[in-house]
Amino acid sequence: MGIIIRLVITAVSLWITTLIIDGIDLTAETAAGKAGTLLAVAAIFGLVNAVLRPIIKTVGCGLYVFTLGLIALVVNGLLFMLTSWIAGRLDLGFHVDGFWPSALLGALLVGIVSWLLNMLVPDGDD
């Protein structure tokens, strides 16, 4: 159940990001189509982060230390663009125009909104 809740939270974060950031487009026609696209993109984003983020952090450990963690913003933006590219290959109506400012700000906003929404949802350990 926790995975489904996190998936929905990520989808809501993506939806809010498409409303706020210019250059991130959701092109589905119907509300159901938009919801399905957002859920699919949220699943892709979760898989990309789960698979690639640990590898990137391990390989780029020195760069993370050298930049005091600021390289994480760049990595998040690039993973967001990769998610957009995969969504395009799967004919999903989600597109990020470019790295600056769309992908970088979009990944940052998705992270902040997801964090806030996860704070509002109990995790079951309480």
Side-chain angles (χ1 to χ4, degrees):
M1 191 67 176
I3 293 173
I4 294 171
I5 291 171
R6 284 192 179 96
L7 183 71
V8 169
I9 286 173
T10 304
V12 169
S13 300
L14 286 167
W15 174 64
I16 291 170
T17 301
T18 62
L19 296 176
I20 295 175
I21 305 291
D22 288 334
I24 301 175
D25 302 314
L26 181 62
T27 58
E29 296 294 324
T30 64
K34 287 181 181 182
T37 299
L38 288 169
L39 287 171
V41 171
I44 293 168
F45 192 54
L47 286 172
V48 165
N49 279 317
V51 172
L52 293 180
R53 184 181 305 270
I55 297 169
I56 293 169
K57 279 188 173 182
T58 302
V59 171
C61 179
L63 202 52
Y64 275 87
V65 172
F66 181 68
T67 64
L68 302 175
L70 290 176
I71 194 69
L73 294 172
V74 174
V75 169
N76 288 342
L78 292 172
L79 292 176
F80 201 62
M81 284 187 65
L82 179 62
T83 300
S84 172
W85 181 78
I86 293 170
R89 292 289 185 187
L90 297 175
D91 290 328
L92 296 172
F94 182 81
H95 179 71
V96 178
D97 283 340
F99 178 75
W100 178 257
S102 300
L104 189 68
L105 293 178
L108 187 61
L109 187 61
V110 166
I112 291 169
V113 172
S114 294
W115 174 71
L116 287 172
L117 291 176
N118 278 314
M119 296 267 301
L120 296 175
V121 176
D123 60 359
D125 291 339
D126 298 338

